[in-house]
Each structure stands twice: as C-alpha cells, then as structure tokens.
Amino acid sequence: MTEGGEYSPAMISSDPFMSMKKMKKSNVHNKNNQRRFSDEQIKSLEMMFESETRLEPRKKVQLARELGLQPRQVAIWFQNKRARWKSKQLETEYNILRQNYDNLASQFESLKKEKQALVSELQRLNEEMLHQTKEQERQCCGDQAVVALSSTDHESENEENHPRCEPEEVRPEMEMYDEKGHHGVLCEHHDHDDEDGYNSNIKREEYFGGFEEEPDHLMNIVEPADSCLTSSDDWRGFKSDTSLLHQSSSNYPWWDFWS
DNA sequence: CGGGTCCTTATCATTACTTCA
DNA sequence: TTTGAAGTAATGATAAGGACC
C-alpha cells in the first residue's frame, strides 16, 4: 500500500485471497492521510496518557479535535497504549523478581557453604576435645587403671563405684550443645567400653550422629527447595505467591531447615 | 432481555530499521 | 562500499467476546 492510502497494485495482485475487509482495514488513515501519527500528536497523547490511562469521552473528543484525529483513533491509541504498557509492566516486574531471586539464591548458596564450614569446624573441635579428654583420663586415672582392670566384677559397674571420671574443672568443658540447643554431656553414657578397656562415656553416634548424618539429612531437606530455586524450568512454572514468602520469612524461619 | 458502549485480548498490515551475504 | 533481501520491533487498526448500564 502506498503512503497516500491508495490500494497499491502489488497489494491487489500479490495476494488475490486477501479480503476486501482486510484491504480496507489496512487502509484507514487520519484526515491528513498519514498512517503514523506525527511526533507532536504522539507527544500530546503520551502526556495525556501519563496523567490518565483512560480518557473520559469528553476529553477524548477534545483531544481528537486538538490533534486533528478521529475520536475513534484516539480511543484506539489509548487502548493499544494500555495493552502494550501493561505487557511492558509485566516484563519489568518479571525482571525485578528474577533479579531478586538470583540475589537470594546466591545468598543462600554462600550461607550454605558458610554453614558447612562451621559444622566441619565444630566437628573438628569436638574430636579434639575428645582426644584431650582421653589424655587427661589417662593421666589422672593411670594408677587406678591397674585396679580397675584387675576387678572381676567388670560388668556390674555403676555410677557410684565409678569415681574415675573427670575432675570437676573438666566437666563444664564437656558439656556441649548441638545446633538445636540439644544438650549433650560427655560421660553421661556408660553403655559400652572401648576395645582397650576405656569407657569413652560417649555414644559418639548419638552425639555426632546429627552432624555425621547431616549432609544427607540436610540434603533431604534442602535439595528439593534448592533444586526448585535453581531449576529454570521450575522457575518458569513458579507462581508468584507472596503468602509463601511471608510464610518462609516470618512464620517459618528458613534456617530451621538446617537444624 | 436486547442494544449500545467500552474494555481487554489477539491478531493483522504496514512502516522503519537492522543485519548480512 | 553499496545494495537488496530477510528479519524484527513498533504502531495503527480491527474483531471477538465480556462487562456494565
């Protein structure tokens, strides 16, 4: 079609199946026979749109008269503007949410690593402390060891006749708390002895179990959320749900997953 | 309830611009 | 460097269907 709004020969001959309706449809121009509005017209329309995205009929007619357009054209311009503005808004909001998500995922990863490092450090310190306890027991109970080993009633030992425990000043150091605040006191268990006759007084599996099992335990809990957070497929399917955010941030601290 | 108006959404046709051989 | 075809984004307009009066 030509700029002047006439049916071009190419239009008619190149597509014989094009309906008259469609030919007419693409042939509507304003009174100046321009297909696109002038910069001045666009500027005025934009300004009006900024102040109100919907035009009152009276204003529409007035604006159309000022710009030399049909009221219908102004209405259509506003319709298109609203629709396209809306989709742009959606895109912008999506990008913002996406950026927020990326930041959170990144923070989550660093915290996860930091937490893992702290757990390892805690485990190392526990083992070191255990070692020190053994050393102290060896030193302070060395003389009694002979007596203890010579006893024939080894199985019937109980708390009362078991004075070989740590000196008082050591006990507080043996008290431990895991991440949940569960209290673990070394030397409270006397369930079994080590092969070398030394009662470790600790069920290591019980005390460290939480830590040793932790990777799997943690993964069982964290991974689904993790994969959900990092999977682009899931992301695409993710519905923005602010109640979820509120739940996780206020009612249900996310760090509880880690304990 | 039917008609008119306006809206949203999807789509079309055209223009202007960019890319690339 | 120039040029023309192909691709693409922007834009003005229409149609369908729904909501409201």
Side-chain angles (χ1 to χ4, degrees):
Chain A
M1 184 172 19
T2 63
E3 189 67 18
E6 304 292 328
Y7 296 133
S8 70
M11 191 177 177
I12 295 167
S13 60
S14 67
D15 189 358
F17 301 106
M18 178 182 268
S19 67
M20 206 58 184
K21 200 192 213 172
K22 281 194 174 176
M23 288 202 301
K24 268 191 171 177
K25 174 177 159 181
S26 59
N27 199 33
V28 178
H29 297 266
N30 62 23
K31 62 167 85 163
N32 296 325
N33 269 341
Q34 53 180 146
R35 190 181 184 277
R36 296 204 170 206
F37 299 164
S38 69
D39 291 348
E40 205 55 40
Q41 288 170 324
I42 296 292
K43 198 176 165 187
S44 298
L45 289 164
E46 295 275 8
M47 277 175 63
M48 188 62 81
F49 185 81
E50 271 185 32
S51 62
E52 44 195 323
T53 56
R54 276 165 216 247
L55 270 189
E56 295 169 26
R58 211 160 49 83
K59 276 191 180 175
K60 179 174 68 186
V61 172
Q62 187 190 342
L63 185 60
R65 201 164 40 223
E66 283 171 15
L67 300 178
L69 296 170
Q70 298 293 321
R72 171 83 181 140
Q73 286 179 297
V74 173
I76 288 170
W77 188 91
F78 267 77
Q79 285 171 18
N80 284 327
K81 188 70 180 174
R82 276 194 298 272
R84 285 156 189 169
W85 180 74
K86 188 178 171 183
S87 77
K88 225 165 205 170
Q89 281 287 108
L90 280 173
E91 196 182 329
T92 304
E93 282 172 18
Y94 168 81
N95 285 332
I96 290 170
L97 283 172
R98 175 87 213 193
Q99 187 58 53
N100 287 345
Y101 160 76
D102 286 342
N103 292 341
L104 280 173
S106 160
Q107 283 177 34
F108 179 75
E109 279 306 315
S110 344
L111 285 170
K112 209 163 86 175
K113 280 182 189 149
E114 191 182 330
K115 183 257 183 179
Q116 189 54 51
L118 289 170
V119 166
S120 301
E121 175 69 2
L122 186 58
Q123 191 166 349
R124 190 187 65 74
L125 289 171
N126 277 331
E127 280 167 2
E128 194 180 307
M129 201 177 294
L130 194 66
H131 182 71
Q132 283 175 4
T133 304
K134 279 185 182 178
E135 286 298 313
Q136 282 174 345
E137 284 196 357
R138 238 177 236 134
Q139 285 170 13
C140 82
C141 304
D143 293 341
Q144 298 174 12
V146 176
V147 177
L149 284 172
S150 67
S151 167
T152 54
D153 197 15
H154 189 72
E155 304 298 324
S156 61
E157 286 181 0
N158 55 28
E159 286 288 318
E160 285 74 37
N161 61 12
H162 205 281
R164 63 178 171 130
C165 250
E166 315 71 42
E168 280 303 309
E169 63 272 18
V170 175
R171 287 193 73 96
E173 295 176 2
M174 306 302 286
E175 294 190 357
M176 295 178 143
Y177 297 83
D178 67 17
E179 294 164 291
K180 272 182 173 170
H182 290 160
H183 192 189
V185 179
L186 301 187
C187 264
E188 277 196 349
H189 296 291
H190 303 273
D191 298 329
H192 63 281
D193 290 58
D194 286 344
E195 299 105 339
D196 60 356
Y198 168 70
N199 186 337
S200 70
N201 294 336
I202 302 170
K203 287 177 90 175
R204 293 192 69 233
E205 295 80 11
E206 270 185 31
Y207 191 81
F208 290 118
F211 297 142
E212 288 172 352
E213 289 170 15
E214 186 274 334
D216 286 340
H217 171 64
L218 181 67
M219 286 304 149
N220 285 342
I221 296 165
V222 169
E223 282 308 316
D226 206 17
S227 58
C228 165
L229 286 170
T230 52
S231 157
S232 57
D233 287 336
D234 288 343
W235 166 257
R236 281 196 293 273
F238 180 71
K239 269 185 158 179
S240 173
D241 185 350
T242 51
S243 66
L244 205 76
L245 283 174
H246 291 148
Q247 184 194 1
S248 64
S249 62
S250 57
N251 297 338
Y252 202 80
W254 52 269
W255 55 82
D256 275 6
F257 280 122
W258 291 5
S259 55

